[in-house]
Amino acid sequence: TAGMLPRTLALLALAAFHGAAARGKADLRGSATALGSRLASRQGNSSPSARSVPGGGAEWTSWFNIDHPGGDGDYESLEAIRFYYRGRVCQRPVAIQARTTEWELPEEVGEIVHFSPKKGFRCVNKEQPQGKTCSNYHIRFLCPLEAAWAEWGAWGPCSRSCGRAAKRLRRRSCKNAKTSPCAGRATEVQKCPPSPCPGTRPCPEHTLQGTVVSAAGAALPGARVFLEGHPPALLARSDARGRFRAAGLCPGAAANVSAHLEKFAPALAPIVSNGSGLSVVRLVLQRLEKPYMVTHPEAKVRLAGQRATFCCKASGTPVPTKYYWYHNGTLLDRKVYKYGSRLALRGLTPAQAGTYHCKASTEAGAIRSAPARLTVLAPGQQSCKSKPEPNLIKLPSECRRDAAGSQYYDVGHCPPTRCTGSPADEAQCGEGARRCCGVRRMEAREIQCSGYLLPIKVVAKCGCGPCTQPRILVRGRVTAADTGEPLRFGQIFLGKKKIGFTGYKGSFTIEVPPDTQRLVARFVDRQQRFVDAVKVLPFNSRGGAVYQDIKMMRKKEPVDLDASQTNTIPLGEVRGQEPVGELVIPAGAFLRSSGEVFKGTVKASVTFLDPRDIATAGAASSDLSFANAEGEIVPLRTYGMFAVDFREGESNEALQTGPVEVRMDAGQIRMLEHLQKMKLWSLNPETGLWEEEGIFRQAKEKRGKREDRTFLIGNMEIRERRLFNLDVPENRRCFVKVRAYSNEKFNPHEQLEGVVISLINLEPQPGYPTNPRAWGRFDSIVTGPNGACLPAFCDGERPDAYSAYLTATLGGEELEAVASSPMLNPNAVGVSRPYLNKLGYRRLDHDDPDFKKTAFQINVAKPDPNNIDETNGPIYPYRSLKECEEAPASANHFRFYRVEVDKYEYNVVPFKESDLTSWTGDYLSWWPNPQEFRACFIKVQIEGPQEYMVRSRNVGGSHPLTRGQLYGLRDTRSVRDLLLESSSGACVEFKCSGMLFDQSLVDRTLVSIIPQGSCRRTAVNSLLREYLLRHPPVAENNNTAAFTMLAPVDPLGHNYGIYTVTDQNPRLAKEIAIGRCFDGTSDGFSREMKSGVGTAVTFTCQERPVTQESFFQRLLTAPAEALDEIRREMGANEQRRAPPEVTDFSSGWRAPARRSPSGRRRMREQL
């Protein structure tokens, strides 16, 4: 693609040139098909020279895209482009080019288009072939370079600001003056009318002194200082220390001065005298910062005829005041809708339904909001259907729904869609009391199981009601990337606001503010051992907590530099390879904050994150994105980022620098097109977006006698920002569809939400020959009810041009990918052949079984639209995000799944833990509060030769409305203890005691722990037994094959064998509790079972071997030992009077207990 694109553009330009020459001033009209034939007839020619157009040549404008293909089609009219981009298109363009946003020509996508250099471009949907609509097009124009005057520039400042008469100038330039001169003058002079100086009289004895500084207090040299007026008058320029001086200015209410400096917003201050003939002013300049959207429009549901109001707000320096609104991608007329940051729509019709977004712009740039969907319901149409949608849950193994033996039962589900707002909300930006579709009525039913009836509640009716609003959290741990050392008591910032600290072990919790679209957090080490970590954290907008493992780069040890000498610092950390580049600091470049040149010893620490080492990907800051000219957040591809820290050798005060050079070795850039696109970027720590700092120019240098090397050289100053990046914008983008499942059966209704899927884009081929595992970008997305779509770089020409690694985590636990060896199974991977072969799917352990099974690598091969095998996922073109997000479970996708011991959960009131909005307020709900989830586990030790299933049966114990009614069942298989012979442990969940959903009375859950098999209870934790005795009532424990208790209300710990964790995410609460239970501590975490530590109850289970002799045989061979066994049985304690019960979960059958009055009867039974 990279090689064909310039040739295609040249041929397109050639056709346009010849068409213009043949027809003179006539319109260039045609279609994509005709254009293609003209291109084909001229493939032997080269692109036209500058002399082929009268006046000495021509040049192409930049690309424009002001319309989108919604509605009737895509209309890019020249008149509209001139309106929005004044002065960007010449008066008489001679040719026009068009291409889709996927860099395709119209004939390549088979679309009929019309174009003219006088009128522009149009693509009409109704003219397209059956089933097709217009693509989204960019266009550009060819403008002749005739010798002509440009527009006059603005009038310059008057030679005097006040007092005597003065003059001012304005200038204009001659375009293309090398070919022919322009007639007329290049300058024009105008007299300035005399005006009195501010104040009541001239003040020849009064002097103004001032300083120009940054927001951080650093001196800013070279700033222009003006006396405000009509027009402003230039007074002075700030010197190296930011100082300036002007005489003869009188103070007064109307006397103001302003300061202007490139890359900074202007500042204004009044001239105020202190009565001594001297005025002192301090002008603080804020660095220009691109706009950033802080308030996004909200989705709304309205009835036809109602009103809807959308609002957005952007921050930045200067604060944005220009806003533009779009409907389905088409700009709305400001004169018609009279909008600013607020868009009001009245008398809604169904035609106004769709997506709305806004764009804010300033001189620094632009930013787009997230789209908000407006749903307009016709009269009588309901936003919430009363009939529930299907929702299958799995029944216990001993239960069957019907004669066919199905284990799944439809309990119904109400989708949490928005309902129409109240009339009072129509004029408001946000909805007051949000209403959503939810459960209005449930029905109780019973299912026949083996030996008992299983109660179950199903959704009978849906309706509108208050929305469930669970808290949204991000939790995790911050550690050093190299050693795993935790960041203890580090500061956490959201924007400029400090919101908290990390814990002693580096843990943190962030509550996501309402309506947040992009969560940017900054972690700061107060001891300055680590580079500040700026992270864009994914979160689950449906509620709950997402776990993140944050890595921080350790600062490089500082080296001593002589500030009076030129210093060169290499940028590159991979052993055995040349540095990516170098930082060159000229002599005298180090500055104190006052602007004074520092001449002593500098402690310099430059920490470079080298993408040639894939292990560094997790420590990179931000998500490598920037806002383009249209305000869209788009990806970058990095060649390395570096953080700088310069300090005085003695005082340790921070230093700045004047202009320095960043020199990048062009030999490290393997993609030739990247040489022209490479830029230098700095990170805005508040928005998490990279902003352009400078461009690179190419230069050749001799290194040695025979070696010529090419460098890219960029210039910058190091002031407030200290993190920089060597990046290129990348246009070849796709989306990758991934789903996560609760097990490897991959049932669509058993998908996991809240799983963090991460994708690392690897170095494109050909890559670094000695290290092909360099990375270029990374992204993380949280799975929703329909999986996740991750952005990735892709290529349509070479399938292996770009590759990527993918991983998945849930609550800090890594999920497993589908195996690729010894034989690749397309049905398991989720992608059909032959596209799967093209994608080259390989799990990490494909060649080495010692590698992890939790990641896989693919070639991100852009799908061929003409190949039906590649039009159904899992890779989607960048403009097909909607198709990716709405793809059915039957479409191709990649899979992760959760690997765990046999486990089963059943709730009488159905609840999907990955979707907190599915919670229903019911007395029998397992979780009584959707805002907070308390997970309780009991640790059971099994002494026996194998692993055993253990069930907890949870019923109401003390609440009058739930006593004796089932809450749910939990089955867990015990895990072998690797250090104890014939011992395993099970961490079994039970329903915590506490308030039910109405928050009126406490219920102490009656919990029964029942191991499967021939087991008997042999020990109970003494502290737990004492606690239960001190907190009556006490449950009966006559059955030695089980353990029964009224669950404690208090959160007991490992000393009792009870593990309780409270969290806003039920899965995360469980994961933490299970980790502590395995470890047998109240604050540890382990995945290796320690069955003898922190145990609540112990069972001994026996499996009779086939060769074991009967009691009669033992009586014949060893009568004394057999009689001793009878005596031991007769003298057994209370716990062992009854023989063990045998429980079989698969059948649900339990043998009745037999109590023998004497040893003789037991002997007869065994005989």
Side-chain angles (χ1 to χ4, degrees):
T1 301
M4 294 181 65
L5 184 59
R7 183 169 69 251
T8 303
L9 294 179
L11 290 172
L12 186 57
L14 177 62
F17 269 110
H18 282 271
R23 289 180 294 275
K25 295 184 178 181
D27 286 356
L28 283 177
R29 300 183 181 272
S31 68
T33 306
L35 179 62
S37 63
R38 291 199 299 273
L39 289 176
S41 66
R42 308 181 194 275
Q43 289 186 8
N45 297 325
S46 61
S47 59
S49 67
R51 299 291 180 183
S52 64
V53 176
E59 65 179 7
W60 289 103
T61 65
S62 57
W63 292 94
F64 304 103
N65 185 1
I66 62 168
D67 193 17
H68 294 268
D72 296 333
D74 193 6
Y75 292 80
E76 309 288 342
S77 71
L78 178 58
E79 182 182 2
I81 291 172
R82 282 181 172 149
F83 177 80
Y84 292 112
Y85 299 94
R86 299 184 186 277
R88 298 278 291 276
V89 182
C90 58
Q91 291 299 317
R92 292 180 297 276
V94 297
I96 183 174
Q97 273 187 5
R99 70 177 183 193
T100 72
T101 53
E102 295 295 319
W103 295 75
E104 296 167 317
L105 295 175
E107 69 268 23
E108 293 177 351
V109 293
E111 295 174 3
I112 300 173
V113 300
H114 308 275
F115 49 85
S116 163
K118 287 188 175 182
K119 295 187 177 181
F121 169 96
R122 73 179 186 272
C123 177
V124 184
N125 283 335
K126 64 182 181 181
E127 295 180 353
Q128 306 310 311
Q130 184 69 27
K132 287 186 66 68
T133 57
C134 293
S135 302
N136 191 8
Y137 283 89
H138 299 280
I139 68 168
R140 65 177 181 175
F141 298 90
L142 186 68
C143 288
L145 295 177
E146 298 178 353
W149 289 113
E151 296 291 332
W152 283 104
W155 286 104
C158 293
S159 56
R160 295 179 184 276
S161 60
C162 56
R164 291 178 294 175
K167 297 179 181 180
R168 62 178 181 173
L169 299 175
R170 68 174 182 175
R171 294 181 171 83
R172 61 180 177 174
S173 61
C174 180
K175 293 184 177 181
N176 202 27
K178 293 182 180 180
T179 58
S180 60
C182 296
R185 292 176 297 176
T187 61
E188 195 171 63
V189 181
Q190 187 184 65
K191 290 184 178 181
C192 295
S195 60
C197 291
T200 59
R201 56 184 176 81
C203 305
E205 304 300 326
H206 191 274
T207 302
L208 171 67
Q209 291 183 355
T211 55
V212 184
V213 297
S214 68
L220 294 177
R224 295 173 297 157
V225 181
F226 289 88
L227 176 67
E228 287 296 294
H230 301 284
L234 179 65
L235 296 178
R237 289 181 180 270
S238 59
D239 61 17
R241 296 192 179 187
R243 302 172 183 171
F244 66 89
R245 182 185 181 92
L249 298 178
C250 294
N256 297 303
V257 293
S258 63
H260 302 255
L261 184 62
E262 187 180 1
K263 294 186 178 181
F264 288 86
L268 186 71
I271 302 175
V272 180
S273 174
N274 58 8
S276 63
L278 179 69
S279 293
V280 179
V281 66
R282 179 182 171 90
L283 292 158
V284 180
L285 300 188
Q286 302 283 341
R287 181 188 175 100
L288 275 179
E289 291 185 350
K290 287 192 173 186
Y292 184 70
M293 200 63 64
V294 294
T295 302
H296 297 260
E298 293 185 17
K300 298 179 185 295
V301 179
R302 293 287 187 268
L303 296 173
Q306 289 186 324
R307 293 185 299 170
T309 302
F310 294 102
C311 301
C312 68
K313 181 182 178 182
S315 64
T317 306
V319 176
T321 57
K322 294 181 180 179
Y323 289 87
Y324 306 88
W325 283 94
Y326 297 79
H327 175 218
N328 291 335
T330 301
L331 179 66
L332 298 177
D333 192 334
R334 187 189 302 273
K335 295 179 181 179
V336 175
Y337 291 92
K338 296 179 175 56
Y339 58 71
S341 62
R342 186 184 183 104
L343 173 67
L345 303 173
R346 297 174 177 84
L348 290 172
T349 65
Q352 292 177 285
T355 59
Y356 290 81
H357 77 269
C358 78
K359 181 173 75 173
S361 66
T362 66
E363 59 190 277
I367 190 69
R368 288 173 54 176
S369 74
R373 177 164 292 279
L374 172 63
T375 303
V376 180
L377 302 175
Q381 184 180 0
Q382 298 295 321
S383 58
C384 177
K385 296 180 180 179
S386 60
K387 183 179 179 180
E389 293 183 355
N391 179 27
L392 299 177
I393 67 166
K394 188 178 180 181
L395 299 174
S397 58
E398 63 270 21
C399 302
R400 292 291 185 271
R401 182 179 68 87
D402 50 31
S406 174
Q407 270 194 275
Y408 291 92
Y409 196 88
D410 185 4
V411 295
H413 169 66
C414 299
T417 54
R418 286 281 185 90
C419 293
T420 53
S422 65
D425 295 331
E426 292 183 19
Q428 303 299 319
C429 295
E431 304 287 291
R434 295 179 179 177
R435 291 167 55 79
C436 297
C437 187
V439 177
R440 297 279 74 86
R441 182 166 58 86
M442 300 192 78
E443 292 181 354
R445 300 178 184 174
E446 291 183 334
I447 297 174
Q448 182 64 52
C449 301
S450 299
Y452 68 99
L453 291 175
L454 178 73
I456 189 170
K457 287 198 172 185
V458 300
V459 179
K461 184 179 180 181
C462 300
C464 289
C467 298
T468 301
Q469 297 180 338
R471 295 172 66 193
I472 303 174
L473 299 179
V474 175
R475 288 189 167 177
R477 191 164 177 255
V478 188
T479 57
D482 53 353
T483 63
E485 173 189 358
L487 175 66
R488 294 190 172 100
F489 312 116
Q491 297 174 318
I492 306 175
F493 292 83
L494 292 184
K496 296 180 180 179
K497 183 180 179 182
K498 183 171 69 175
I499 61 166
F501 299 87
T502 60
Y504 181 78
K505 293 187 176 182
S507 58
F508 68 91
T509 299
I510 298 174
E511 183 164 1
V512 181
D515 301 320
T516 298
Q517 296 287 335
R518 178 180 162 93
L519 181 64
V520 181
R522 179 162 55 103
F523 300 88
V524 178
D525 178 21
R526 294 188 292 177
Q527 300 180 21
Q528 295 297 309
R529 298 166 301 161
F530 303 109
V531 176
D532 292 358
V534 179
K535 298 291 185 178
V536 180
L537 301 175
F539 59 90
N540 189 354
S541 59
R542 296 163 70 90
V546 171
Y547 186 88
Q548 287 287 300
D549 192 7
I550 306 297
K551 300 296 182 183
M552 296 187 75
M553 287 193 300
R554 189 180 300 276
K555 284 187 177 180
K556 189 127 184 190
E557 287 297 322
V559 296
D560 291 341
L561 302 180
D562 185 351
S564 62
Q565 303 290 327
T566 297
N567 296 278
T568 301
I569 301 174
L571 303 175
E573 300 292 328
V574 177
R575 182 177 298 177
Q577 296 196 46
E578 291 288 332
V580 172
E582 57 192 19
L583 179 64
V584 180
I585 307 171
F590 289 105
L591 305 173
R592 290 192 171 99
S593 60
S594 63
E596 177 187 357
V597 176
F598 179 73
K599 299 179 181 179
T601 301
V602 178
K603 296 286 187 182
S605 172
V606 178
T607 307
F608 187 76
L609 188 144
D610 200 323
R612 294 175 295 181
D613 180 5
I614 197 172
T616 63
S621 277
S622 181
D623 60 353
L624 290 172
S625 298
F626 77 105
N628 64 12
E630 296 300 317
E632 183 183 6
I633 296 179
V634 292
L636 291 168
R637 187 257 186 251
T638 187
Y639 280 86
M641 58 184 68
F642 59 96
V644 298
D645 186 16
F646 300 136
R647 297 184 179 272
E648 294 186 25
E650 296 181 0
S651 66
N652 205 39
E653 291 295 322
L655 295 173
Q656 302 178 354
T657 74
V660 299
E661 278 190 355
V662 177
R663 304 163 67 88
M664 190 171 179
D665 184 0
Q668 298 286 353
I669 304 173
R670 308 293 176 175
M671 300 185 72
L672 296 181
E673 62 265 35
H674 286 181
L675 289 172
Q676 306 299 326
K677 298 179 180 180
M678 187 69 63
K679 294 182 180 180
L680 185 63
W681 308 75
S682 64
L683 180 64
N684 185 328
E686 295 173 15
T687 66
L689 294 175
W690 295 90
E691 298 180 7
E692 187 176 329
E693 193 74 25
I695 60 175
F696 286 92
R697 69 181 191 278
Q698 291 192 39
K700 288 188 176 182
E701 291 187 0
K702 279 192 173 292
R703 294 290 178 99
K705 294 183 178 180
R706 299 183 178 179
E707 184 183 7
D708 283 338
R709 296 178 64 181
T710 300
F711 285 87
L712 299 181
I713 300 176
N715 296 300
M716 67 175 188
E717 295 183 355
I718 300 174
R719 296 193 180 275
E720 294 91 349
R721 295 188 180 173
R722 299 300 175 102
L723 186 59
F724 303 93
N725 205 345
L726 309 171
D727 275 28
V728 292
E730 183 59 83
N731 296 316
R732 287 174 284 190
R733 294 169 280 166
C734 289
F735 285 98
V736 181
K737 183 74 174 189
V738 183
R739 300 178 189 269
Y741 294 87
S742 59
N743 54 60
E744 55 185 324
K745 295 180 180 178
F746 306 121
N747 291 320
H749 54 273
E750 293 182 326
Q751 293 188 62
L752 296 175
E753 297 182 47
V755 176
V756 179
I757 309 292
S758 297
L759 184 147
I760 302 175
N761 290 268
L762 302 183
E763 166 70 13
Q765 297 293 332
Y768 298 100
T770 58
N771 183 12
R773 298 182 66 194
W775 60 275
R777 171 176 182 81
F778 58 89
D779 287 277
S780 294
I781 303 289
V782 176
T783 58
N786 199 34
C789 295
L790 290 95
F793 299 145
C794 61
D795 190 85
E797 297 294 325
R798 292 185 51 190
D800 61 345
Y802 288 95
S803 58
Y805 276 126
L806 287 93
T807 62
T809 58
L810 177 63
E813 173 194 358
E814 292 182 314
L815 273 63
E816 190 163 307
V818 178
S820 59
S821 63
M823 181 175 294
L824 188 63
N825 183 356
N827 293 328
V829 175
V831 182
S832 60
R833 285 192 169 107
Y835 197 19
L836 181 60
N837 299 334
K838 186 176 180 180
L839 298 176
Y841 178 93
R842 291 166 66 92
R843 197 168 70 176
L844 208 59
D845 66 341
H846 183 86
D847 295 319
D848 188 346
D850 292 333
F851 275 62
K852 284 188 173 182
K853 303 176 181 179
T854 54
F856 63 85
Q857 180 179 352
I858 58 169
N859 299 323
V860 192
K862 185 178 179 179
D864 181 358
N866 298 317
N867 187 341
I868 193 172
D869 294 324
E870 301 180 12
T871 58
N872 194 34
I875 312 297
Y876 293 83
Y878 196 72
R879 65 177 178 179
S880 300
L881 174 60
K882 183 178 180 181
E883 288 83 348
C884 180
E885 292 177 336
E886 298 178 355
S890 58
N892 288 336
H893 60 275
F894 293 110
R895 295 168 171 172
F896 286 95
Y897 63 95
R898 196 173 187 184
V899 179
E900 55 187 14
V901 295
D902 292 341
K903 179 184 288 188
Y904 172 74
E905 299 177 357
Y906 172 76
N907 298 324
V908 170
V909 179
F911 174 62
K912 191 175 182 180
E913 292 178 352
S914 58
D915 179 11
L916 304 189
T917 61
S918 67
W919 179 85
T920 303
D922 190 283
Y923 283 102
L924 294 179
S925 295
W926 185 275
W927 306 98
N929 184 357
Q931 299 284 352
E932 193 172 73
F933 298 89
R934 188 179 179 201
C936 295
F937 285 79
I938 183 171
K939 190 170 185 177
V940 179
Q941 183 181 13
I942 305 291
E943 295 177 342
Q946 61 183 30
E947 297 175 344
Y948 300 83
M949 292 296 295
V950 183
R951 167 171 288 184
S952 75
R953 189 172 185 274
N954 304 264
V955 300
S958 60
H959 196 286
L961 296 179
T962 63
R963 187 179 294 117
Q965 296 188 60
L966 183 69
Y967 288 114
L969 306 173
R970 296 293 187 267
D971 294 345
T972 303
R973 183 175 293 279
S974 64
V975 178
R976 176 67 58 194
D977 190 326
L978 301 179
L979 301 180
L980 292 179
E981 185 178 359
S982 297
S983 179
S984 61
C987 294
V988 187
E989 184 186 7
F990 63 90
K991 186 185 184 307
C992 304
S993 295
M995 293 285 188
L996 300 186
F997 89 101
D998 61 356
Q999 300 295 303
S1000 61
L1001 289 175
V1002 170
D1003 180 43
R1004 290 189 63 186
T1005 310
L1006 181 63
V1007 180
S1008 299
I1009 304 298
I1010 313 162
Q1012 179 187 22
S1014 178
C1015 303
R1016 64 174 182 267
R1017 186 179 69 250
T1018 55
V1020 177
N1021 184 296
S1022 59
L1023 292 177
L1024 177 61
R1025 185 190 301 114
E1026 292 175 7
Y1027 176 90
L1028 297 176
L1029 290 173
R1030 292 198 309 269
H1031 296 81
V1034 179
E1036 293 185 1
N1037 260 309
N1038 296 328
N1039 181 6
T1040 60
F1043 171 72
T1044 304
M1045 68 175 180
L1046 284 167
V1049 178
D1050 299 319
L1052 306 182
H1054 67 286
N1055 291 327
Y1056 298 80
I1058 304 293
Y1059 302 85
T1060 306
V1061 173
T1062 301
D1063 194 89
Q1064 280 67 35
N1065 185 307
R1067 289 191 176 277
L1068 190 57
K1070 289 182 179 183
E1071 289 300 321
I1072 297 173
I1074 290 173
R1076 293 176 180 177
C1077 179
F1078 269 61
D1079 194 55
T1081 63
S1082 293
D1083 57 358
F1085 190 90
S1086 177
R1087 276 290 180 261
E1088 294 184 3
M1089 174 59 70
K1090 303 172 183 177
S1091 62
V1093 182
T1095 301
V1097 59
T1098 302
F1099 288 89
T1100 299
C1101 301
Q1102 296 180 353
E1103 297 296 328
R1104 179 177 174 180
V1106 177
T1107 58
Q1108 181 176 340
E1109 59 184 358
S1110 66
F1111 181 83
F1112 179 75
Q1113 291 173 322
R1114 294 200 306 277
L1115 189 61
L1116 294 177
T1117 56
E1121 288 81 358
L1123 293 175
D1124 287 340
E1125 182 179 341
I1126 294 174
R1127 296 189 189 98
R1128 286 196 301 270
E1129 289 286 341
M1130 293 176 64
N1133 59 25
E1134 176 74 16
Q1135 279 189 332
R1136 298 182 57 185
R1137 281 183 179 174
E1141 293 182 351
V1142 178
T1143 304
D1144 183 0
F1145 287 172
S1146 60
S1147 64
W1149 176 84
R1150 175 174 295 162
R1154 298 181 180 179
R1155 187 178 301 273
S1156 301
S1158 65
R1160 180 178 300 175
R1161 182 170 179 179
R1162 281 197 298 273
M1163 181 178 68
R1164 284 201 306 267
E1165 290 174 352
Q1166 293 191 46
L1167 289 174

